Amino acid sequence: MQLYVFPPSPRARKPLAVVHHLDLPCEIKVLDLVKGEQKRPEYLKLNPNGRMPTLVDGDFVLWESNAIIQYLADKKPGELMPVDARGRAEVQRWLCWDLAHWDPACASLLFENMIKPVFRGAAPDPAQVKEGEDKFRQLAPVLDAHLASRDWLLGKNLSVADFALAAPLHYAGVGKIPVDEFANIKRWYGQLASLEAWRKSAPPPLN
Ligand SMILES: N[C@@H](CCC(=O)N[C@@H](CS)C(=O)NCC(=O)O)C(=O)O
């Protein structure tokens, strides 16, 4: 398998962490978004969106990070993806919630508070920051309450959903994501961040 990623992106961290956790044979192909490598014709043949990540497994090509992590997890059934219908539905519920709500809320704060000032020399837009914070503070109590009585999203078992929701939180400090207000999320993230797969998939430091 080959996995095309831009390692600084949280959407790259999801499949990278899963590859490391499951110790899957996979060649990591770095795609430099800053150089526009995602728009090159040969890459667009794999992913017509011109975005990463993309997984190539023989003659099968898959894009969308949350689809990729489920596919990777099914290489070792029962480890990061349950085999029973209810367990799989629970994972899918959190992955859908991620794409519909959590990822956009976190991404807007990362864009305003990190990407604009650090990479583009531009100031954050206070209205966009407020909207991102408001969205985050609507969503985070749902996750925080769910984690109050659980180690991981599915209870005792780590799953791909934990990696997906944790991905943007690596940048919570610089992105000013107000995660410190939510004690259960903080505990859960701290536990996840101590996993070897999380450390191995860490992005390069910001400069
Ligand atoms: N929903 C997609 C989002 C992928 C995405 O937006 N990737 C961004 C980086 S975070 C990208 O490749 N952007 C390149 C561009 O827009 O040119 C996923 O989760 O895979």
Side-chain angles (χ1 to χ4, degrees):
M1 291 190 290
Q2 291 92 38
L3 179 66
Y4 291 81
V5 284
F6 179 58
S9 166
R11 290 162 192 151
R13 186 82 179 267
K14 301 178 190 183
L16 283 172
V18 172
V19 161
H20 287 302
H21 191 83
L22 296 178
D23 199 18
L24 296 172
C26 187
E27 183 189 355
I28 307 304
K29 300 254 205 191
V30 173
L31 193 72
D32 192 335
L33 300 188
V34 180
K35 291 189 187 151
E37 290 177 352
Q38 73 280 20
K39 306 294 184 206
R40 291 192 179 156
E42 59 274 24
Y43 183 73
L44 290 172
K45 283 186 199 149
L46 297 176
N47 186 339
N49 300 291
R51 291 171 184 266
M52 68 87 239
T54 302
L55 181 75
V56 179
D57 186 9
D59 60 1
F60 182 57
V61 180
L62 188 62
W63 33 264
E64 280 300 322
S65 58
N66 285 1
I68 293 171
I69 57 180
Q70 292 177 77
Y71 180 80
L72 290 171
D74 278 336
K75 298 275 179 191
K76 295 205 173 167
E79 287 205 29
L80 288 178
M81 188 74 193
V83 287
D84 65 296
R86 288 188 183 187
R88 295 178 75 83
E90 271 207 79
V91 169
Q92 282 151 5
R93 176 241 305 271
W94 286 110
L95 295 182
C96 291
W97 189 79
D98 177 35
L99 287 187
H101 309 295
W102 182 253
D103 175 279
C106 294
S108 73
L109 288 173
L110 295 186
F111 182 72
E112 291 299 325
N113 291 327
M114 182 176 93
I115 294 175
K116 276 169 75 173
V118 176
F119 298 104
R120 300 191 181 174
D125 174 340
Q128 294 292 324
V129 170
K130 165 133 182 28
E131 196 182 314
E133 286 174 353
D134 288 350
K135 273 193 202 154
F136 185 83
R137 288 193 175 103
Q138 265 172 17
L139 297 166
V142 174
L143 179 59
D144 198 66
H146 182 81
L147 290 169
S149 56
R150 295 172 179 87
D151 293 337
W152 304 109
L153 287 165
L154 297 197
K156 293 276 169 229
N157 299 322
L158 178 71
S159 74
V160 289
D162 294 287
F163 287 125
L165 294 191
L169 300 183
H170 172 81
Y171 294 117
V174 62
K176 300 190 183 144
I177 301 175
V179 76
D180 284 350
E181 295 169 20
F182 301 94
N184 299 311
I185 298 179
K186 264 190 85 176
R187 172 189 43 79
W188 159 82
Y189 181 73
Q191 181 175 281
L192 187 128
S194 70
L195 297 176
E196 200 187 346
W198 198 247
R199 288 200 300 272
K200 282 187 176 166
S201 58
L206 294 173
N207 48 24

